Each structure stands twice: as structure tokens, then as C-alpha cells.
């Protein structure tokens, strides 16, 4: 297995831009169906103001084709925990509370665009982050249907649950979004620096799921509001009290 990447950032007065690109591959000598290789790219544009930093961003991660025999075309990952600043709920980015990764631990097999207001502050020691993300799958519906028929996936979810940073199952399976599936994430993070070493964080997030209801992949089981674990809209509100020393 191997990975290679390139990142960069530039600042001009109040404007800044940053990009990230990486490619990785894993090869199995005994079974080519287990091979995995793919790439991921992201771009962030920001403008600093006195009261906060508005920004626009987008990402693209390669997705699976319809051929099971040639392995996966998604970027492989070992441990992506707590590494996502674009999404604290749909993907793995929440810094304190492990109620995250509703769609997946990383953005492989998806593309999306988003907007956020970062470091917003109108009161001393109280900061806010507001974000909205549109997420769409890239994986082939043909691949999803083949894997579902093989019993490896069910109702659009991976049977193996996501794992927390300590290896404990979080009780929610990862989503496998095809090119016919999409989601919309709304979120806010609010941090109050009470003392020099103590802060209180309150987070809220909601993910609207727009999953395929046609017969080409999952069928009508994904109609909005149906009680199938992992395929309904998801929401979360949490508070954390953090003392650092």
C-alpha cells in the first residue's frame, strides 16, 4: 500500500486559498477483487473579516465502477478519525463527541460543495461555526446492486459499523452513496472559552437524506421517513465540557 499527496496554501491580503490532492493504492496478491486505488481533491476559498471568516469549498473523491473483479476505485484510508474540518456530523470531524460519520468516516466515493462561516464572534470568548454541505455519491449504481444482491450491503448501508477513535462500534453503519443518492448537511458549532484552560462546546447538526427510490439500486425502501436504520434523516445535538492541562 502507498499514498502520495500535495497540499498548498496562499494568502493575499484578506483572501486565502488552499488545496489538497492525494492518491493511494492497496494491492492484494492473492485476490485482485480486494485491490483498492483512488484519488481525492479539495479546494477552499476564504475571506477574513473583522467578525468572522466566510468560505466556500468543494471536494471530489473517486468512486467505484460497476466491475467487482477489478476491486475498488475509492481512495483507501487507514485511520481518518477527527481530520475533517468541512463536516462535523455527516463525515468524521467532531473533535470531542463521537456522534459523527453518519455517511462515512471519510469522503471517498463522494463529491460535494459547501459554505461556512468560520470563527464568527460577536461576544468576547464566544465563537461560532455555521456550515451547509451538499453531498452526492459517485459510486456506480451497478456496483451497489451487485454487492447488495451478494448480501454484503443492505438498504444502502455497509454491514460493518463505523468505529470510533478507540475502536468501539458507534452503532451506525456507513452509507454507500451512488451517483443517484445525495444528502444535505446543516450544522453549527459554538465554543465558549470560560477560562484559560476550560471551554464549553455546543454542537447541532442535521443531515437530510435523498436516497434513490427507483428499482435500479435500492428500490422503494428508501422513501423519506421510512424507519430503516441508517437511511432516515439524522440529527444530533450535544454539549461537551473540556478542561485542558
Amino acid at each position: 500500500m502507498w499514498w502520495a499527496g500535495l497540499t498548498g496554501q496562499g494568502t493575499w491580503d484578506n483572501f486565502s486559498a488552499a488545496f489538497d490532492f492525494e492518491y493511494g493504492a492497496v494491492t492484494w496478491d492473492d485476490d485482485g477483487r480486494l485491490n483498492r486505488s483512488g484519488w481525492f481533491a479539495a479546494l477552499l476559498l476564504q475571506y477574513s473579516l473583522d467578525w468572522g471568516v466566510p468560505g466556500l469549498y468543494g471536494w471530489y473523491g473517486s468512486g467505484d465502477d460497476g466491475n467487482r473483479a477489478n476491486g475498488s476505485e475509492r481512495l483507501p484510508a487507514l485511520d481518518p478519525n477527527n481530520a475533517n474540518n468541512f463536516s462535523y456530523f455527516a463525515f468524521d470531524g467532531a473533535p470531542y463527541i463521537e456522534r459523527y460519520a453518519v455517511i462515512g468516516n471519510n469522503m471517498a466515493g463522494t463529491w460535494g460543495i459547501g459554505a461556512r462561516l468560520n470563527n464568527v464572534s460577536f461576544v468576547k470568548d464566544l465563537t461560532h461555526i455555521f456550515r451547509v454541505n451538499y453531498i452526492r455519491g459517485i459510486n456506480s449504481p451497478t456496483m451497489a446492486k451487485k454487492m447488495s444482491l451478494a448480501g454484503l450491503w443492505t438498504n444502502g448501508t455497509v454491514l460493518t459499523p463505523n468505529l470510533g477513535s478507540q475502536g468501539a462500534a458507534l452503532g451506525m453503519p456507513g452509507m454507500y452513496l451512488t451517483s443517484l443518492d445525495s444528502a444535505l448537511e446543516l450544522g453549527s458549532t459554538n465554543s465558549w472559552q470560560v477560562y484559560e484552560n476550560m471551554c464549553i462546546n455546543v454542537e447541532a447538526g442535521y443531515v437530510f437524506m435523498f436516497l434513490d427510490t427507483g428499482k435500479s439500486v435500492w428500490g422503494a425502501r428508501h422513501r423519506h421517513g421510512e424507519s430503516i436504520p441508517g437511511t432516515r434523516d439524522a440529527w444530533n445535538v450535544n454539549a461537551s465540557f473540556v478542561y485542558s492541562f
Side-chain angles (χ1 to χ4, degrees), residues 124-127 191-200 242 244:
K124 183 180 179 181
D125 298 327
L126 180 62
T127 59
S191 300
W192 178 28
Q193 194 70 38
V194 184
Y195 305 111
E196 181 179 357
N197 291 9
M198 180 180 177
C199 67
I200 299 175
V242 182
S244 58

Side-chain angles (χ1 to χ4, degrees), residues 79-85 87-88 91-100 105 163-166:
D79 185 6
N81 289 333
N82 294 332
N84 194 315
N85 288 322
S87 169
Y88 279 10
F91 298 106
D92 189 350
Y96 301 115
I97 302 292
E98 290 191 345
R99 295 197 66 188
Y100 47 53
N105 285 107
L163 299 180
S165 58
Q166 304 303 319

Side-chain angles (χ1 to χ4, degrees), residues 6 18 79 128 156 164:
L6 177 66
D79 185 6
H128 315 273

Side-chain angles (χ1 to χ4, degrees), residues 64-68 139-149 153 176 178-180 216-217:
D64 292 333
D65 61 20
N67 185 1
R68 288 180 58 190
N139 303 296
S140 168
T142 302
M143 172 64 81
K145 191 167 187 176
K146 289 179 179 178
M147 299 301 281
S148 182
L149 293 174
W153 296 328
Y176 186 83
T178 74
S179 58
L180 302 177
S216 58
V217 187

